[in-house]
Amino acid sequence: MFENTSKRIASVFKKLSGNSKITERNVEDAVEDIKNALLDADVNLRVLRRFVNSTLDEVKGTAVLQSVNPKEQFVKIVYDKITALLKGDGDSSLHLKGPDVVSVIVLMGLQGNGKTTTAGKLAYRLKSENRRVMLVACDLKRAAAVEQLKIVASDAGVEFYSEDTSDVCAIVERAISYAKKNQIDTVILDTAGRLSLDTSLMDELGSIVEVAKPDEKIFVADASIGQEAANIAKEFNEKIGITGVILTKFDSDTRGGAALSIASITQKSVKFVGNGEKKEDLDVFYPERIASRILGMGDVVSLVEQAQKTISEEEARRMEERLENHAFSIADYLMQLESVNKMGGFKKMLSMIPGLSTAISEDAINTDELKKEKAIMYSMTKKERDNYRLIGPPRRKRIARGAGVSIGDVDRFLKKFEKIRLTMRKVTKNKKLQSALLEKIGMLE
Ligand code: GDP
Ligand code: MG
């Protein structure tokens, strides 16, 4: 997601810094290039026009070009505008009642957009915040849908409610009174979707909302369908009224037009994004971070957070220290490889570190290759893992035999490790550069 867009925008900025002087004319060109990159990412045209006009107004209105650091000022303005597009009404939290009162969340959207999966993820998340959650099956058109939600509920470890009737409003009413009697404080309604917008879908949702008086009406949108998601969201907002959005399939290889258009068109916030099919794969949506990712600054903050979830804090600190001292060892590399599985894969991690994704070729991601590498690393002594320079020819032979690979494999691995080590050094330097830039444009809290 955003990979191509961010590459293109980064090159626009680069081109601009190649100019000895920046003028109104080349800023206009740069904004046009950024607009085109976003257009190719399937961002809505009306949204883009607003972006272009307000960016140029600000550049021209605030004496940016006469300032001491016009290029940085310009980057900051673009960054602010993109962030504003992503922000919606700026309210990213869920508004639920306290523990003694039942809160109701209704999830709505088209069929196949991820409502049921999201119901499970949301339930799992709220449960970890000590809420007592119950999922209610309101998709009665297909028997399989009820069964699917039941499985999702048990996977998330929350209560499940369904009834064998076709009167969905009666189910909602009784589910809520069941919740009141059974100390359940959060009820999530998984509603039916249709393949496209139709009146019967809207009518049904309208009556559910009337009965349930939900605290949150969340529109679940498939990010992979681009700006079309924004048009559908608009329709739901006008007919039913939504309080927020969850974008699913954010992990898929799409161009990001949905994320950039939906908040701006509905003026509601994206509260979470779905990043996979498992119950853990729901992340808070941070407009600032997505904006920096789109602008090619890399999502360092998210990466650090994700790393902290899986690598212990002690390990992370040690890693950072080593990176600072340029002492990245095979032991560190091995530890990283062991933790990336937990982090949702190597590729995902690479995409978050600026510069790294291009430095390590696809074969590093090949799992057979990785297995071989791990065998080589495990066949080393601790000393060798801490200092790869010790590994001369006799040691290579021993390591190869231990790992059941050829000496050539060990040589290749060591060469590659050197390359990775070099990149890691560059990334650390980059990171410093980056925080200097971020600080300058006021992004660091
Ligand atoms: P519903 O019809 O709106 O209830 O949609 P479902 O929850 O049944 O999801 C439809 C499909 O999308 C399923 O195969 C899900 O596993 C998949 N899906 C849902 N959310 C995500 C996500 O965030 N990432 C990915 N990769 N797949 C998802
Ligand atoms: Mg469903």
Side-chain angles (χ1 to χ4, degrees):
M1 178 87 75
F2 302 126
E3 200 175 318
N4 268 325
T5 319
S6 72
K7 258 192 216 145
R8 278 178 62 179
I9 296 182
S11 78
V12 174
F13 288 143
K14 211 166 146 199
K15 203 164 103 195
L16 202 62
S17 38
N19 293 323
S20 54
K21 202 164 160 280
I22 85 167
T23 61
E24 210 162 282
R25 179 67 207 277
N26 52 35
V27 162
E28 271 168 14
D29 289 347
V31 172
E32 184 66 19
D33 288 345
I34 294 172
K35 184 192 110 182
N36 287 331
L38 294 173
L39 199 60
D40 283 350
D42 199 25
V43 179
N44 179 279
L45 193 58
R46 247 183 315 140
V47 173
L48 279 178
R49 283 209 199 102
R50 225 176 301 151
F51 162 76
V52 169
N53 292 337
S54 67
T55 304
L56 289 177
D57 280 354
E58 190 153 342
V59 171
K60 291 172 184 171
T62 48
V64 166
L65 301 177
Q66 281 74 46
S67 68
V68 277
N69 50 359
K71 284 156 203 163
E72 285 88 344
Q73 296 278 347
F74 175 65
V75 175
K76 176 172 164 42
I77 289 174
V78 175
Y79 166 79
D80 284 345
K81 297 296 171 193
I82 301 268
T83 308
L85 285 188
L86 292 163
K87 259 199 173 139
D89 60 4
D91 183 1
S92 60
S93 47
L94 288 177
H95 296 278
L96 303 177
K97 300 189 189 94
D100 299 330
V101 196
V102 178
S103 300
V104 180
I105 303 172
V106 55
L107 299 182
M108 50 196 171
L110 297 187
Q111 194 174 312
N113 280 12
K115 290 179 298 300
T116 305
T117 315
T118 303
K121 292 175 183 174
L122 203 54
Y124 180 71
R125 183 179 191 95
L126 292 172
K127 185 186 147 202
S128 77
E129 292 168 5
N130 295 321
R131 301 194 70 99
R132 294 190 36 124
V133 187
M134 182 171 83
L135 293 179
V136 182
C138 303
D139 182 353
L140 310 172
K141 297 286 175 296
R142 299 169 301 144
V146 178
E147 194 52 34
Q148 185 196 357
L149 188 71
K150 190 175 178 182
I151 294 167
V152 160
S154 99
D155 186 38
V158 301
E159 295 229 17
F160 168 74
Y161 190 97
S162 75
E163 275 184 39
D164 199 9
T165 153
S166 57
D167 183 355
V168 69
C169 288
I171 295 185
V172 169
E173 208 164 339
R174 283 193 290 262
I176 294 172
S177 60
Y178 175 91
K180 281 180 186 151
K181 280 186 214 120
N182 291 278
Q183 285 84 45
I184 285 158
D185 55 40
T186 312
V187 169
I188 300 178
L189 308 178
D190 179 38
T191 65
R194 301 282 188 281
L195 286 172
S196 61
L197 287 166
D198 64 27
T199 15
S200 71
L201 169 65
M202 290 299 180
D203 288 348
E204 184 179 290
L205 276 174
S207 5
I208 290 178
V209 164
E210 211 164 284
V211 174
K213 302 188 179 50
D215 300 80
E216 290 283 355
K217 292 173 274 183
I218 305 288
F219 180 70
V220 178
D222 181 340
S224 67
I225 66 173
Q227 63 163 304
E228 185 53 21
N231 297 330
I232 301 166
K234 182 166 176 262
E235 195 95 359
F236 273 80
N237 193 30
E238 282 164 1
K239 299 262 163 64
I240 313 287
I242 65 175
T243 56
V245 176
I246 295 180
L247 277 179
T248 64
K249 309 184 196 178
F250 215 59
D251 52 316
S252 64
D253 213 8
T254 59
R255 295 167 298 165
L260 277 156
S261 313
I262 206 163
S264 181
I265 286 188
T266 59
Q267 281 303 306
K268 293 284 160 23
S269 294
V270 178
K271 296 185 189 274
F272 298 99
V273 289
N275 270 317
E277 300 186 69
K278 296 198 294 294
K279 62 177 183 290
E280 301 87 2
D281 299 333
L282 188 73
D283 297 313
V284 175
F285 182 79
Y286 293 108
E288 291 84 359
R289 291 181 200 173
I290 301 292
S292 59
R293 202 152 116 196
I294 293 170
L295 297 186
M297 296 173 176
D299 201 353
V300 179
V301 195
S302 289
L303 177 72
V304 169
E305 259 193 1
Q306 212 161 355
Q308 268 165 355
K309 270 195 221 157
T310 42
I311 308 178
S312 76
E313 276 187 38
E314 181 54 40
E315 277 172 321
R317 201 173 321 121
R318 191 176 133 255
M319 179 83 87
E320 201 147 296
E321 262 174 33
R322 291 186 143 263
L323 280 172
E324 291 288 330
N325 300 332
H326 302 171
F328 187 71
S329 70
I330 292 181
D332 298 319
Y333 181 53
L334 184 60
M335 189 186 90
Q336 276 215 340
L337 287 186
E338 294 295 8
S339 51
V340 285
N341 275 342
K342 286 183 259 169
M343 286 169 63
F346 207 38
K347 230 174 168 169
K348 189 162 162 185
M349 187 187 88
L350 288 180
S351 74
M352 289 181 170
I353 305 181
L356 200 59
S357 47
T358 42
I360 302 180
S361 58
E362 284 285 320
D363 70 331
I365 297 156
N366 182 323
T367 42
D368 282 344
E369 184 79 20
L370 277 187
K371 268 185 211 147
K372 202 186 249 181
E373 285 187 0
K374 277 191 199 165
I376 292 173
M377 288 187 265
Y378 279 120
S379 152
M380 293 173 181
T381 64
K382 186 179 173 306
K383 256 191 173 155
E384 287 164 346
R385 262 181 245 144
D386 286 338
N387 181 6
Y388 75 104
R389 288 196 181 82
L390 290 176
I391 311 175
R395 287 179 189 256
R396 289 183 191 204
K397 197 169 161 192
R398 192 208 77 237
I399 291 167
R401 204 180 313 121
V405 301
S406 72
I407 298 178
D409 285 332
V410 178
D411 290 343
R412 256 192 306 283
F413 167 72
L414 288 170
K415 270 218 189 85
K416 183 172 133 192
F417 173 73
E418 273 198 315
K419 203 164 115 191
I420 290 172
R421 197 166 172 275
L422 264 173
T423 315
M424 292 308 274
R425 284 172 60 169
K426 275 198 214 129
V427 170
T428 340
K429 280 193 199 141
N430 245 340
K431 220 163 115 184
K432 280 184 193 150
L433 257 178
Q434 209 166 40
S435 48
L437 176 68
L438 295 185
E439 204 160 28
K440 212 169 198 173
I441 63 176
M443 256 183 72
L444 286 185
E445 284 108 304

